Amino acid sequence: MNDFEPARAGSNHLPRNGYFCSVAERHMRNFLLRTLVAFASVGVSPFSAGAGVAPSESAEASFVSGEAKLRANDVEGARADFEAAVEQSPRQARYSLALGLAYLRLSKSQRAAEAFGRSCALTETEFGSRSNRLFGCYALWGNALLVSSDFTAAAAQFKNSYQVAFAQDPRSIEDCLVALYFLTRALEGAGQVSAASEFYAQLLSDTPTSSARYPEIEDALKRVRSGEMPQRLLVR
């Protein structure tokens, strides 16, 4: 079991999954691995193309080159390739997502947030506002904003991530709790922890009392109502 804390930019650790660079240390990598599972559940990888506008051959070549460099820990080279891919085919959500990950590795969190924002907007346009693809995209966007200390904007994106997770059928309570933990962390930075209570209350009211997560949600609700952070989420 591993607990979660907000990611830190500039981590030098490589991923075990071959797609995401590590935008944080062990706990955040595991969160991103859960995001990979979410993508896999709808039959795509996080960097796979949708059914929309096809990229140019040169843009795809730049993207593939960037992926290889990212895996080889040549983050600056990957950034240049991903920027070229975005410039040549700006409507490819996966190109902006990859560019955001490279920026975050380079401690350029504000530019990462911009790239993730573009990726989320493109993904929503193509797949709809409750697409499971958006769960991780919003979380990455929120994380970049959190690293930038833009707490209010980060909270808005973690809220979006939670709402996407809550809307899934079947729903992953754990995904909801992950998003809520980061939402509450962002609200803590803004001095508004208790504002998370409405979302914990919603999740609690829609979770069977027989669920192993029910006591955890109930405890978290009590804590945030009193202005405290919930206990760190344990991934089972």
Side-chain angles (χ1 to χ4, degrees):
M1 296 189 292
N2 296 293
D3 55 16
F4 289 92
E5 283 295 330
R8 292 191 292 273
S11 170
N12 291 321
H13 298 289
L14 284 174
R16 293 181 180 178
N17 55 68
Y19 283 101
F20 283 105
C21 68
S22 179
V23 296
E25 297 179 338
R26 175 171 50 87
H27 36 253
M28 191 61 180
R29 186 198 66 215
N30 289 332
F31 171 44
L32 297 182
L33 286 172
R34 283 201 57 77
T35 301
L36 284 172
V37 172
F39 279 112
S41 70
V42 291
V44 296
S45 84
F47 286 160
S48 68
V53 179
S56 67
E57 289 186 8
S58 59
E60 186 66 13
S62 293
F63 174 70
V64 170
S65 173
E67 281 190 300
K69 290 176 182 176
L70 200 60
R71 287 193 289 268
N73 209 22
D74 178 7
V75 185
E76 184 58 43
R79 176 208 52 82
D81 283 342
F82 292 147
E83 283 184 346
V86 169
E87 182 177 356
Q88 294 169 72
S89 291
R91 297 200 58 77
Q92 289 294 310
R94 61 198 172 113
Y95 293 176
S96 289
L97 180 70
L99 179 58
L101 290 167
Y103 280 145
L104 205 53
R105 278 286 298 278
L106 294 168
S107 300
K108 297 180 179 181
S109 56
Q110 291 182 337
R111 299 192 72 175
E114 293 171 2
F116 291 140
R118 288 195 302 271
S119 181
C120 289
L122 291 168
T123 300
E124 182 174 355
T125 296
E126 184 170 356
F127 297 100
S129 62
R130 291 296 178 261
S131 168
N132 203 25
R133 292 172 180 244
L134 285 168
F135 169 69
C137 188
Y138 283 137
L140 288 167
W141 188 3
N143 180 73
L145 291 165
L146 191 59
V147 172
S148 300
S149 298
D150 191 346
F151 301 116
T152 300
Q157 300 314 321
F158 289 128
K159 175 184 173 182
N160 287 338
S161 183
Y162 163 72
Q163 289 176 331
V164 168
F166 188 83
Q168 299 308 304
D169 184 17
R171 177 186 305 145
S172 167
I173 297 176
E174 189 170 282
D175 284 351
C176 291
L177 284 172
V178 167
L180 285 181
Y181 182 85
F182 283 103
L183 168 60
T184 311
R185 181 64 74 190
L187 289 170
E188 181 188 40
Q192 300 174 344
V193 169
S194 61
S197 61
E198 65 174 292
F199 305 109
Y200 282 104
Q202 178 190 42
L203 183 60
L204 185 68
S205 67
D206 211 48
T207 299
T209 56
S210 58
S211 169
R213 289 292 191 184
Y214 190 91
E216 186 175 355
I217 303 170
E218 189 173 39
D219 179 70
L221 177 58
K222 291 178 181 177
R223 289 174 181 270
V224 297
R225 278 178 171 168
S226 63
E228 301 176 13
M229 278 295 299
Q231 294 187 18
R232 292 179 179 180
L233 173 66
L234 294 179
V235 181
R236 298 172 179 173

